[in-house]
Amino acid sequence: MSARDLISGEAEVNSQDEDESFDEETGEVRRKTNGVKGINGHLEDSSEEDDDDDDEEAAAAVRKDFIVEDDEEPEERERRRRERKKRRREEREEEEAGLDEEDLDLIGEANPNFERRAPSEPKLKRLKRGHKEDRDGYRSKGIENIFDSEEEDETDFRNQRQSHRADPRNLQDEFADFIEEDFDDRDGAPDDDDADVARPAVRTYTGIKDAAGLDEAALEDMKEAFGEGDEYDWALNIQDQEDEREGALDPDDPEAIAKGLELKDVFEPSQLAEKLLTDEDHEIRAADVPERYQLARAPYRDLVLTSEQFREEGIWISDFLWLRKKIKPTLKEPFRKAVAKVLEFMVANEYEVPFIFQHRKDYLIHQEKVPVTPDPTEPGAPDFVISAEKLLDQEDLWRIFDLDLKFRALIDKRNALSETYKKLQDIVDFHDKVFETMLPAAVTMEELQDVQDYLHFQHASKLADLAALNASSTANGTHRRPGSGRALFDRIRNSNVYGLVRAFGITADAFAQNALKEGRRRYTEDPASHPEDLADEERIMDPPEYSTGAQCLKAAKVMFAEEIALSPKMRKVMRVAFYQDGVIDCFRTEKGLRRIDEHHPYYSFKYLRNQQLTEFSDQPDLFLRMIRAEEEGLIEIKVRMQNEESFKKRLYTEIESDNYSEIAEAWNRQRREVLDMALLKLDRMMARGVKENLKNECEDQVAKRCREEFSRRLDQAPYKPKGMVLGTVPRVLAISNGAGSLGRDATCWAWVEEDGRVLENGKFTDLFLGDPDRGQEDSEDVKGFVRLVERRKPDVIGVSGFSADSRKLYKLLDDIIERKDLRGPTYEDDDNNDRSDKLDLVIVNDEVARLYQTSERAMLEHPGFAPLTNYCVGLAKYLQSPIKEYAALGNDVTSISLDPAQAYVPREKISKNFETAMVDYVNLIGVDINAALSDPYTANLLPYVCGLGLRKAQQLMKVIRLNGGDLINRAELVGDTSQQRLGAVGGRVWNNCASFLYIDYDSSEPEADFLDNSRIHPEDYELARKMAADALELDEEDIDAEVNESGLSAVIRRLIREEQQYKVDDLILEEYAEQLETNNNLRKRATLETIRAEVQNPYEELRNNFTLLSSEEIFTMFTGETRESLYEGMVVPISIKKVGEDYLEARMDCGIEGTIPAIDISDRPDVTPRSLYQQFQTVQAKIRHINRKTLTATFVMRENEIRNPVKHNYDREAGDWDDDQERADKDSMKEKNDVSGRTQRVVKHPLFKPFNSAQAQEFLGSQARGDVVIRPSSKGIDHLAVTWKVSDNIYQHIDVLELDKSNQFSSGSTLTIGGKFKYSDFDELIVNHVKAMAKKVDEMMLHEKYQNGTKAETERWLSTYTEANPKRSVYAFCIDPKHPGYFFLCFKAGQHAQLQSWPVKIVPQAFELQRNMYPDMRALCNGFKLLFTNMQNGKRPGR
């Protein structure tokens, strides 16, 4: 454990006067101020207590040594430090003799199933907060507290070495370890605070100095006393002791077992993989190869490309990229050379993309000298100019990296096929010219698959013999067991019938060669007999299977058709034809007929026809939506050739003979039939391939769009304070009302310093300005806000939220800033005058803050903050560094939606593109390696550094700490055995990462090098020093004198010391670059420019300014709507907020508000709004206009307007839409509705649909959990049914009885459900009944005890858990799919106890268990435990 973790995680013991309470509205913690505070004024969790309670004197000495007296001699302090270090080392050596419990705890924090070994006596004392000292003692845990959550179990594991373990003879003792302290203090039960204080050490995000208030010397003493965080050393070295432990363990000796444990003996493989502690992870750490290369090339680890294959790869990749590049044709050869050079860098040198782009940029640019006409007026002018053309950009480099992997897969498969063919030749001496020709010519996986299929078809019997000899299938999955179809064709091939196949006069390969137009034409020869006559000959028949001519002819035709269909050349013909002339038609299914109405998002392609494949390149999301609709069974996508008949006729001419006779015509007829059979199979095969390839291509395009948008978000520097240089981190005040209403709900705020510390937070409830003209004063919250701004002096105020009311908050704060003349900090302008401007107020992109507010990271950093306060912290930190916030999300970053079609792309593909974008920009800005040691947010960037990854970044940090902490220069990364410094990275990895890890230059350090604080790579330091010497005009003697006196970096030091950096601008770099290329064969022109820039301004901020949101982006963020989802002319449901004499005020579900004048309410001028509508009523309205900046709209409610909503106008060409089918379907649907026997109920509500139960379920299938449909009921005219989605494929149908109906067609004024629940209208029923139950379902399914799976799977999990933890009890919830609205509570009270389950019913506002109501999951869990306790004397059988 590091000293930083110890200090930041240290428990605090408060006096009895300090207490805490929770604000019920915002969940904030309110604390009295007479106690000792932790970070941000909140108590920190307990990390560890002293392991040795007896050594009080030693502990006192350590504490004493934290205080350094000013007059203390350094020698004395150093002597004591050495003594403490020696003592700590001896103690650590004793503890590390085996796996001690602290080490097991460290790795096992995420393992809910790991049971710690009980020591002979407790090692830790449980700390108590205020109000705990007067308790009678910790209560013994009994049967009433069984079935605890894993979270509480983990707390007990980490904070207590309990001396009392469960006695299997006593049920009460057996469950003693499973107390879930869910009870309130007022009930006298154990309080959660005990567990909170004693929680294990977690990595907080505050520096050591800030957390502990210690100076540098004291911090050094603390590090010496408590170590540098080397707890995982045992995990990396334990494997070396495996042979010693082999056979030496006594299974009955727990001490011996504990000492001899391996990680894989304690933890599940999945848990080791999660912690990156598997053998493969250790290999990746140890290998001196960039981590991303190791992971990507793992499937081809043993593949070695020959020089010929390497040249082929360069051509293969350049040809692929050339088609997409818009470069002059004359540059094709330089382009090919550039690709080959990049491949050499990646494969031979193992340089990663950022290194190549930054330090080998000259090889990505083509330069040539272009002669110019001499100018007589300038006799000394050059005769040429340099023309530079960029051949490859950074995105191209990533593309080359991906294509390299694909080519390796291609070669791997090709090698495997070649090896299989050689093995077949070892068995039987034969040659297959088709295989030998097509295998080296195959340049795609599809073509290789064609060759493989051909091999398995033509030589199935030989492959079977080979498999029998090897007793297994051929390596790499290339050999497949011949199926019955292959056996049939093998029998035909080996029978007399195959003579009839030869009688067709042309082979399948020859025909395919004709179709490909390769070489000279192969002519078809006709036999002398008719096909039927030849089939009847005895030499053709092969009884008993082929005993008639008809059977023989049929078998021959099938065989010949199969040979054509499996010909690699013929498949190539078909593939080319499909991609050139293929079109896509979309046909609705019977399910889609009703499901896809005109308002459905899939209606845009319901009747789509004749779509060229190239058209989807511009709209890839359209095809991906079509694929999703096909997966849902709503449509069918068919791929066909546009000119299929003409294509078929052309092929007929290639297979037919040119003879004119009755026999020739008969054979040509048979040949055409064979070709038709082959084409039918090939059509299906090609259609599948085209669909799959088109899908992958569309996914790649959408993923590319997402990457570009993500790159735009990363390409923004921190918000720039006025008067500061770009890259300066601002001080931020972030404010949000969340989803609340202004004036009614709390508005939370957080103050975040530039170093990321949250120093203050609070809330406002009444932020409204007064009116001086009316004598109204400002509210107290406005005054408090002004005082806060004047006291803290923020650089910027950030605002955001979840609703349209957040836009009102922004306007309100802007008014306050304007009226109170609040100004930002003063700064010096260009004229050196002090000035200050109006305080900046911005609306912040909240996509990261939304994920952060309820994340585990937020809970660890700010355990007492309400989610909305954490949300404000997220907003502030986003303003301070967007890239750090995105990096901190880890894998959750893919949860951010950057494109409407992102949901249709596999998460892995999105993640891969996001990672490459992150790698690009992290290496653009570099990482301060010393800052990463103390700041976790900076450390989050390390895995994206060139050459590193998650594992190597962990290893890097660990080794640096072991070496003593902060680095002075980059060379220390590779270690130094003479100084006993371990190497953090190997030579190749160091070469990749060195220039992207910078170290702040400290002129007082003799070993420090200014260049280590720049983007200049160490391989170019000599060039930089030479440029510095030239800039200072030093000769060789001067340089030698400087170097001899102050070392290699002396010249650079002098340049910086004398502030002469600007002189490098006077250097002529072109001549220097030519000398380097001529004499040293080094292309360094671009590198020299980089050196010039970095010497003057090291690691200059190259990102764009912080990007403010556009009005359209703000509209979408606050409302969740886009221009496609909400537009003028659309009919939408609105809720009436206020009814006036001649107007209505209404609000949409998305928060947009508007006013409707009386003229737009009704066609009848004599009717007032109050006579028609009432407050909170939901009605239909048509959007007339939307103001996307103010988030307001105007509506019209007249019947004639609502009956004519604006429909989408799709830009389609003639033939693209099947109008006839559309009309026929509409007429058919109308007829079905007209002839239905039941009276059609119509309810004026936006959620009413004329569906039956099956249609309602289909409609809700793609909707969110909790969505509702109101529909007619089969029980009569006084009943309606409400169907709502409980979960995927689970729907509950609620019978609603209508009372007090004015007539049989009107809705009842009272709606009852089950005789228990009564509502006045459907809006109240949906909110207070259905939505209330949906909320309970969400609460259940988000609970830690919920299992996603069937009851059987849950019970298996319970059994597995109790087998691994025989003394423990466990319970879990799972859904009951047969009874919508019910869940199973499954439990097992010990290893040998019976599996049981009780039903839990969801009711509005509660959970019902055994006829008892519980308001929330916490109460339900505690209630279950009490019920189980009370029922122990008489066991209740499980349901």
Side-chain angles (χ1 to χ4, degrees), residues 912-946:
K912 179 181 175 182
N913 279 270
F914 280 9
E915 181 185 11
T916 58
M918 186 70 77
V919 169
D920 287 347
Y921 282 94
V922 167
N923 290 281
L924 175 69
I925 64 173
V927 177
D928 185 342
I929 184 61
N930 288 330
L933 294 173
S934 58
D935 177 24
Y937 278 83
T938 303
N940 288 332
L941 302 177
L942 280 177
Y944 304 101
V945 170
C946 181

Side-chain angles (χ1 to χ4, degrees), residues 384-409:
F384 59 87
V385 294
I386 301 296
S387 172
E389 185 80 22
K390 191 174 184 179
L391 301 176
L392 297 168
D393 55 27
Q394 198 161 4
E395 188 176 335
D396 292 329
L397 299 184
W398 286 113
R399 189 66 175 151
I400 292 173
F401 175 62
D402 288 338
L403 290 172
D404 173 56
L405 297 178
K406 291 182 178 180
F407 186 80
R408 287 170 182 265

Side-chain angles (χ1 to χ4, degrees), residues 412-510:
D412 193 36
K413 190 176 182 70
R414 186 194 291 176
N415 290 346
L417 284 172
S418 180
E419 185 66 22
T420 301
Y421 184 66
K422 290 178 181 177
K423 289 181 179 179
L424 291 178
Q425 287 181 318
D426 292 339
I427 299 174
V428 181
D429 186 15
F430 77 102
H431 289 278
D432 189 319
K433 293 184 178 179
V434 174
F435 180 87
E436 293 173 357
T437 303
M438 297 304 297
L439 181 63
V443 295
T444 65
M445 292 300 289
E446 289 176 319
E447 293 178 356
L448 269 183
Q449 187 62 45
D450 295 342
V451 176
Q452 178 175 321
D453 291 344
Y454 169 82
L455 180 68
H456 285 283
F457 171 71
Q458 289 290 349
H459 308 287
S461 60
K462 299 184 185 69
L463 288 169
D465 295 339
L466 179 62
L469 288 174
N470 295 336
S472 63
S473 59
T474 303
N476 217 28
T478 60
H479 177 70
R480 301 175 304 183
R481 183 178 179 181
S484 60
R486 293 288 183 263
L488 169 65
F489 295 122
D490 239 16
R491 290 197 301 271
I492 296 175
R493 187 181 291 110
N494 296 325
S495 69
N496 296 333
V497 177
Y498 198 72
L500 194 57
V501 176
R502 297 191 185 95
F504 278 92
I506 189 172
T507 64
D509 183 66

Side-chain angles (χ1 to χ4, degrees), residues 124-384:
L124 302 181
K125 295 179 180 178
R126 191 175 179 103
L127 298 186
K128 302 289 183 179
R129 290 194 182 184
H131 295 302
K132 299 295 191 305
E133 294 84 354
D134 56 345
R135 294 186 177 175
D136 296 334
Y138 192 77
R139 288 176 46 184
S140 175
K141 302 178 181 180
I143 190 68
E144 68 273 19
N145 298 115
I146 65 172
F147 304 114
D148 299 336
S149 66
E150 284 93 308
E151 180 180 351
E152 294 297 323
D153 293 343
E154 290 170 10
T155 304
D156 289 343
F157 292 156
R158 293 188 292 259
N159 302 313
Q160 302 179 73
R161 300 292 191 269
Q162 298 178 353
S163 59
H164 61 286
R165 298 299 289 175
D167 185 350
R169 296 169 300 181
N170 188 313
L171 183 62
Q172 178 162 340
D173 290 339
E174 179 180 344
F175 301 127
D177 289 342
F178 289 86
I179 297 177
E180 183 172 43
E181 304 184 61
D182 289 343
F183 299 92
D184 193 278
D185 255 347
R186 292 168 295 188
D187 298 330
D191 191 86
D192 284 342
D193 294 343
D194 289 340
D196 290 341
V197 174
R199 191 164 294 145
V202 292
R203 190 173 189 89
T204 57
Y205 294 79
T206 310
I208 297 177
K209 281 186 179 182
D210 301 326
L214 305 178
D215 59 19
E216 296 287 350
L219 286 173
E220 183 63 25
D221 288 347
M222 183 184 66
K223 292 180 181 179
E224 293 292 337
F226 291 95
E228 287 288 345
D230 52 0
E231 296 85 352
Y232 282 84
D233 285 352
W234 62 274
L236 300 177
N237 298 326
I238 191 172
Q239 193 66 35
D240 298 337
Q241 306 169 12
E242 181 178 7
D243 294 336
E244 291 181 30
R245 296 193 304 267
E246 192 70 32
L249 297 180
D250 181 0
D252 297 326
D253 184 1
E255 290 294 332
I257 293 176
K259 291 179 181 178
L261 284 176
E262 297 182 43
L263 291 178
K264 59 186 177 183
D265 296 329
V266 181
F267 303 105
E268 294 290 336
S270 60
Q271 292 167 329
L272 290 177
E274 182 183 356
K275 291 288 185 180
L276 304 179
L277 290 173
T278 64
D279 293 340
E280 292 78 7
D281 294 320
H282 297 326
E283 291 175 4
I284 292 174
R285 288 187 183 92
D288 187 20
V289 178
E291 183 171 325
R292 271 175 286 275
Y293 279 5
Q294 293 189 62
L295 294 174
R297 294 171 179 170
Y300 323 109
R301 186 176 303 170
D302 300 327
L303 177 66
V304 179
L305 299 180
T306 65
S307 57
E308 183 62 34
Q309 289 172 339
F310 192 74
R311 285 192 294 272
E312 180 189 355
E313 180 180 8
I315 298 172
W316 186 80
I317 293 178
S318 60
D319 288 346
F320 187 91
L321 292 177
W322 179 258
L323 299 175
R324 305 180 180 219
K325 298 290 289 185
K326 297 180 180 179
I327 303 178
K328 293 183 293 186
T330 56
L331 297 177
K332 186 170 185 178
E333 189 58 32
F335 178 79
R336 181 169 289 179
K337 291 181 180 179
V339 170
K341 195 64 179 177
V342 169
L343 272 176
E344 180 185 335
F345 292 146
M346 288 183 176
V347 178
N349 304 116
E350 292 182 326
Y351 294 151
E352 274 212 271
V353 167
F355 179 92
I356 299 172
F357 187 73
Q358 179 67 28
H359 303 299
R360 299 292 184 266
K361 193 174 295 184
D362 293 272
Y363 295 91
L364 312 180
I365 301 171
H366 176 68
Q367 293 183 346
E368 59 182 355
K369 295 180 179 180
V370 180
V372 295
T373 304
D375 188 354
T377 60
E378 296 185 17
D383 298 332
F384 59 87

